[in-house]
Amino acid sequence: MATSYQRSSQQPPSSIPDCEEKDNATQKKINAVKKVYCTNLGTARDNVKKLEIAYDGKETLYKKKEKKFLRTQDNLSRYINTEISMGSQLMQANKRITTNVGNYKTWDDSLATAMKGVFATIKDVKTKVGDLRDAAVKLENSLNDSCSAAQWSIITGKNPDNCKDDNPPPPNPEEGCKDAEEILKLLVCMPKALAFDIDSIFKASSDIIGIQKFGNVVSLVALQTELSTRTVDFDTLLQTIIKTRKTDLDNAQKDLVQSLADRTDSIIDLYNQRCDYDGVYHTVSEICCPKCGCVAAGKGNCEPRLDDCLCEVCEICGEVRDTFSDLTGKTGGQQPQTPNT
């Protein structure tokens, strides 16, 4: 429903017509009063326009404050989510990695110590196998030495190939020496094979030590330290930004609340001024030649003419009474007694 201000915003107060009866003293008094109200009406209309402009400004400012608050809130939420989903996990993972790297370093040191011990033992065995091979070589040389042919013939019961002695060996060797020939061959060939094997083991042990050193587990310590530093820096950066954004959000919220309060005040001021304008407008509209419909103008001079006006006033009183009775009833108060009229 359009208000008086909306209906007459395009019309000046002077557009309200004066009464036709301008010469009598009463009408002159009324017209003088009307001019005062017309002036007040113009002032009220100007005030409404000013407050409308002020309200538009407050509304625009409030919308900007609201957008700033929502953007700051969204930005803060993003950093909080990042810190929770990434920063905290990186910090926890860094703790576990630090423990694991420490264990790897301990195991690597223990392995290096054990491998050095194994290498030293293999080296000692290699020396002893070399001595055994030298002994086997000497034993083999003695088999081919003619000076030892008689001893080998007695032990094995056979003449050596290089022996030209026509005397046959003993027909049956002693029971404990029946496998002497095979044992002697093993004593000659096995040390040579063992020498090759221990040399392979020696080289492999040396290579394994090199592989273990080339693995360079110690370098993980420096890498882990760098990772730890960068993880802490990253999480600290997130925490600092979150703290800053939280302060920004609090300030933006304060600004938004204040802007909303200013906007609310502006709305109420504009509403009040429009009500004032509406009241002045109706006053100006009715102050000239007011016509009261409740007055019985057709009655004689000796008859009362305001009975209907009294009834209308009573009806207004009844509406006010019923309205406030409903309000007091809603709040639990005692409803006032209805007077007899």
Side-chain angles (χ1 to χ4, degrees), residues 72 76 241-252:
T72 306
L76 174 62
I241 294 177
I242 289 173
K243 184 177 180 180
T244 302
R245 292 296 179 271
K246 183 63 171 62
T247 302
D248 294 341
L249 182 63
D250 292 340
N251 294 333

Side-chain angles (χ1 to χ4, degrees), residues 18-32 287-289:
D18 292 333
C19 295
E20 296 178 0
E21 300 175 0
K22 296 183 179 181
D23 297 334
N24 60 74
T26 302
Q27 189 59 47
K28 290 181 179 180
K29 289 288 185 181
I30 292 175
N31 290 340
I287 200 171
C288 181
C289 298

Side-chain angles (χ1 to χ4, degrees), residues 130-148:
D131 295 340
L132 181 61
R133 184 186 59 183
D134 294 342
V137 171
K138 292 179 180 180
L139 179 62
E140 184 181 19
N141 291 335
S142 68
L143 288 174
N144 299 322
D145 191 352
S146 59
C147 296
S148 304

